Amino acid sequence: MCVFVHTHHNIPLFMDKVYLFFISLLSLLSIILLFKPFTPRKRRNLAPSPPSLPVIGHLHLTGEPFHRVLHQLSSKYGPVMSLRFGSRQILVVTSPSAVEECFTTHDIVLANRPLLLSGKYLDYDHTTMGSAPYGRLWRDLRRISTLELFSAARLKAYMGVRQDEVRSLVKSLSQDVTRDFTRVEMKSRIEGLSYNIIMRIVADKRFYGTEVDGFEEARKFKDLIREIFDASGASNAGDFIPFLRWMDFQGFEKKLRKLQTESDSFIQRLIEERRSKRHSCDGKAKTFIDTMLSLQESEPEYYTDDIIKGNMLTMLIAGTDTSSVTIEWGMSLLLNHPDVLNRARAEIDEHIGHDRLVEETDLPNLPYIQCIVHESLRLFPAAPLLVAHEASEDCTIGGFDVTRGTIVLVNAWAIHRDPQLWDEPFTFKPERFEEIGNTGYRFIPFGMGRRQCPGAGFANRVVGTMLASLIQCFEWKRDGDELVDLSEGKGLTMPKIKPLKAMCKVRQIMSEVLMEL
């Protein structure tokens, strides 16, 4: 589970340039704006900005992939750039010094999230850890997640779950390949690993693989998560142009309302199931639902079922897609760089041997594996744009005035590939992290500041153990002579445009260990 608490609560992409529906209204609205009584304002030192259009501002400049579009604009207008999406002011940051300023000097000022329509329905009116405004509720939810999910004690308690799922994937893969190289599709396998880990931690259920807890329930869960991801990445002009929201242009709010009803019903069933089993857990580690239900007993009016459901959904979203895409990118990079793959395998053979499977506790003895994880996250961060922040009061960033309500976007992808910050920034070189000490604000895959992802350690364990296991147990090569396509697809977590397929066979030296599984 790669828990970058990077939820669906982010800036949707305005995908269709300028909607024909409201082009006819631009002239009328422009006239209204021109004749609006002029009120002198204090002159402000705003960040550089491209030319904009009336009403829509810079929405016509957006496109896919959004982080690349913003990078191109920033290359022309500077590392601190101002945009206007409809009625909302946007600040795009691609400078480590400005990022440091955001998350040190102005950390509290930027501790809020923008209130978007998706958060109203999918985040239970912005009451989840990923979307809640800075205040008591957010602090309580952050504390709960830190203590009950990501503390050293909880990481140790759930290590068996993570190890079980890694071994399950390895076992399944070993059964599907022959002594000769066999073509395998990896995306669905890796997704199954991520979903099972988070579902077992949240609700003690498995929804992927052969030992599934209810096939129909599992099918509904997969369909639901897929729909939520689609809705999360969808554009919603109404978030930036209010009159389109009043009209529910394109029926987006209607779709969100339907999706919220379906997800609410599904998650409520999971809660009721855990409620009925809470006092007969046979010494098992508490699930996230169990923890929340315990809090509900002491403060029922505060920890309502809606609060529990919203944060369960956040865990499911944040802990699944992000981890699976990171592992898939890592394997793709290794296939394109067999020298790196061979060096990683040699490290594992030297420190672990061939008599047992690599385990999570072995990772401190496998520093090159960790370098591969870091380099994969540098080139392909699962949150290429950090989850959006919103200024709660006026401030200055990079010497420019930022008004209250401005949405701040940090382009981590651009910072990770800046040639002024990295030697050969577009090259996959894991060894660069052997020589780097503190990467500061130039390596920020998990965000920074008080709203930084609390699950970075958890994520590194899962990704590192999975990659090490695949390298230790199997021989790998590309499916054909061409390099694996590293093109980025659509979506907030920057998935591969083409799901990974590779040629795989069991390493003969590991066959006996795999037979014991």
Side-chain angles (χ1 to χ4, degrees):
M1 177 184 69
C2 194
V3 189
F4 310 74
V5 178
H6 165 76
T7 70
H8 51 273
H9 191 75
N10 210 328
I11 299 300
L13 181 61
F14 192 89
M15 299 175 66
D16 294 329
K17 302 298 183 183
V18 184
Y19 287 111
L20 293 177
F21 175 83
F22 66 87
I23 286 182
S24 60
L25 299 176
L26 289 182
S27 298
L28 175 61
L29 291 172
S30 299
I31 292 172
I32 293 173
L33 291 173
L34 286 173
F35 283 93
K36 182 179 179 180
F38 177 74
T39 303
R41 292 184 178 181
K42 179 182 177 182
R43 187 173 181 84
R44 294 174 297 176
N45 180 30
L46 300 179
S49 177
S52 64
L53 294 176
V55 182
I56 66 171
H58 298 98
L59 284 171
H60 65 293
L61 298 178
T62 62
E64 291 276 11
F66 195 32
H67 55 275
R68 286 184 177 269
V69 173
L70 292 180
H71 174 54
Q72 291 172 357
L73 291 172
S74 295
S75 298
K76 182 176 181 179
Y77 293 97
V80 180
M81 175 182 65
S82 179
L83 298 175
R84 182 170 58 82
F85 289 176
S87 61
R88 302 299 301 268
Q89 200 68 31
I90 312 292
L91 192 78
V92 181
V93 176
T94 56
S95 157
S97 60
V99 171
E100 182 176 9
E101 189 176 357
C102 287
F103 300 127
T104 54
T105 305
H106 304 305
D107 195 22
I108 293 181
V109 173
L110 298 179
N112 280 336
R113 301 294 193 201
L115 303 181
L116 304 179
L117 186 62
S118 59
K120 175 181 177 180
Y121 291 99
L122 301 182
D123 286 321
Y124 287 80
D125 202 16
H126 310 95
T127 57
T128 68
M129 185 176 68
S131 66
Y134 182 67
R136 180 198 167 185
L137 177 60
W138 176 81
R139 286 192 294 269
D140 286 346
L141 294 174
R142 174 80 177 199
R143 175 178 51 80
I144 292 165
S145 68
T146 301
L147 293 176
E148 299 297 337
L149 290 175
F150 308 124
S151 66
R154 301 309 286 171
L155 288 175
K156 182 177 180 180
Y158 283 112
M159 184 167 61
V161 169
R162 299 189 294 274
Q163 196 69 48
D164 282 349
E165 294 305 326
V166 169
R167 293 190 177 200
S168 178
L169 189 154
V170 168
K171 176 183 176 181
S172 172
L173 188 58
S174 68
Q175 293 172 340
D176 291 344
V177 300
T178 64
R179 293 185 178 182
D180 297 322
F181 277 102
T182 304
R183 181 181 293 105
V184 293
E185 188 275 317
M186 294 301 296
K187 180 180 176 66
S188 62
R189 297 175 187 271
I190 297 170
E191 282 182 345
L193 167 84
S194 300
Y195 281 117
N196 280 341
I197 288 176
I198 189 62
M199 278 303 298
R200 288 181 66 180
I201 291 172
V202 169
D204 193 27
K205 299 177 82 69
R206 295 185 82 249
F207 279 166
Y208 278 77
T210 55
E211 300 175 7
V212 171
D213 299 326
F215 284 98
E216 181 61 22
E217 187 180 30
R219 183 191 64 79
K220 290 181 179 179
F221 169 77
K222 298 171 190 177
D223 292 343
L224 176 64
I225 295 298
R226 188 178 301 110
E227 287 186 56
I228 290 174
F229 269 115
D230 290 343
S232 303
S235 60
N236 177 33
D239 280 321
F240 308 105
I241 303 176
F243 75 83
L244 292 180
R245 179 169 180 175
W246 301 333
M247 300 167 58
D248 192 19
F249 187 60
Q250 293 189 316
F252 187 69
E253 185 164 8
K254 181 180 178 182
K255 181 178 180 180
L256 286 177
R257 193 180 295 115
K258 178 177 178 292
L259 189 55
Q260 194 272 340
T261 299
E262 293 174 354
S263 63
D264 182 88
S265 176
F266 177 84
I267 297 176
Q268 187 68 52
R269 288 197 300 271
L270 294 180
I271 291 176
E272 297 303 333
E273 185 176 323
R274 291 308 303 173
R275 221 176 231 134
S276 65
K277 294 180 178 179
R278 283 189 63 214
H279 301 294
S280 58
C281 293
D282 300 326
K284 288 185 178 180
K286 288 195 304 182
T287 67
F288 180 73
I289 298 178
D290 295 334
T291 298
M292 295 300 288
L293 289 176
S294 296
L295 292 169
Q296 188 181 71
E297 288 182 351
S298 59
E299 294 185 76
E301 295 181 357
Y302 189 64
Y303 295 104
T304 64
D305 275 9
D306 279 356
I307 294 289
I308 298 174
K309 285 181 286 189
N311 285 280
M312 281 179 61
L313 192 57
T314 294
M315 292 296 132
L316 294 174
I317 299 299
T320 51
D321 193 56
T322 48
S323 62
S324 61
V325 298
T326 301
I327 296 170
E328 191 177 8
W329 281 119
M331 284 300 299
S332 300
L333 290 164
L334 288 171
L335 287 166
N336 283 352
H337 297 83
D339 55 327
V340 176
L341 180 62
N342 291 333
R343 180 178 169 183
R345 179 176 291 121
E347 179 183 69
I348 295 170
D349 289 347
E350 177 183 355
H351 294 285
I352 310 303
H354 314 109
D355 299 326
R356 65 177 179 87
L357 293 180
V358 64
E359 297 180 353
E360 192 176 291
T361 53
D362 295 316
L363 291 179
N365 298 320
L366 301 173
Y368 195 61
I369 294 294
Q370 191 59 61
C371 289
I372 291 172
V373 174
H374 286 161
E375 183 71 342
S376 300
L377 287 169
R378 185 187 70 83
L379 286 170
F380 299 101
L385 293 175
L386 301 186
V387 184
H389 295 254
E390 182 177 297
S392 59
E393 59 184 61
D394 294 352
C395 62
T396 59
I397 296 175
F400 299 107
D401 293 334
V402 178
T403 58
R404 181 180 180 224
T406 297
I407 296 172
V408 178
L409 296 178
V410 175
N411 195 338
W413 180 90
I415 293 173
H416 289 182
R417 292 173 178 244
D418 188 339
Q420 296 183 347
L421 303 174
W422 301 92
D423 177 47
E424 297 183 71
F426 307 111
T427 303
F428 181 59
K429 291 176 57 177
E431 56 271 18
R432 77 171 78 239
F433 282 94
E434 293 178 324
E435 304 166 1
I436 294 177
N438 181 11
T439 56
Y441 290 84
R442 60 175 174 150
F443 181 63
I444 50 174
F446 299 99
M448 300 296 289
R450 67 189 57 225
R451 296 202 78 140
Q452 177 180 1
C453 169
F458 203 140
N460 282 322
R461 283 170 168 82
V462 172
V463 177
T465 305
M466 188 69 256
L467 288 177
S469 299
L470 293 174
I471 294 168
Q472 180 192 32
C473 297
F474 303 98
E475 299 283 352
W476 296 92
K477 66 179 184 179
R478 296 190 295 269
D479 184 14
D481 296 330
E482 296 183 357
L483 294 175
V484 175
D485 189 346
L486 299 181
S487 301
E488 303 149 14
K490 296 179 180 180
L492 296 176
T493 55
M494 201 171 66
K496 281 173 51 62
I497 195 168
K498 293 182 179 178
L500 176 61
K501 295 180 180 179
M503 303 300 290
C504 171
K505 72 174 182 179
V506 173
R507 292 182 72 194
Q508 188 62 35
I509 201 168
M510 292 296 296
S511 58
E512 289 188 13
V513 174
L514 293 175
M515 285 290 291
E516 293 178 1
L517 293 178

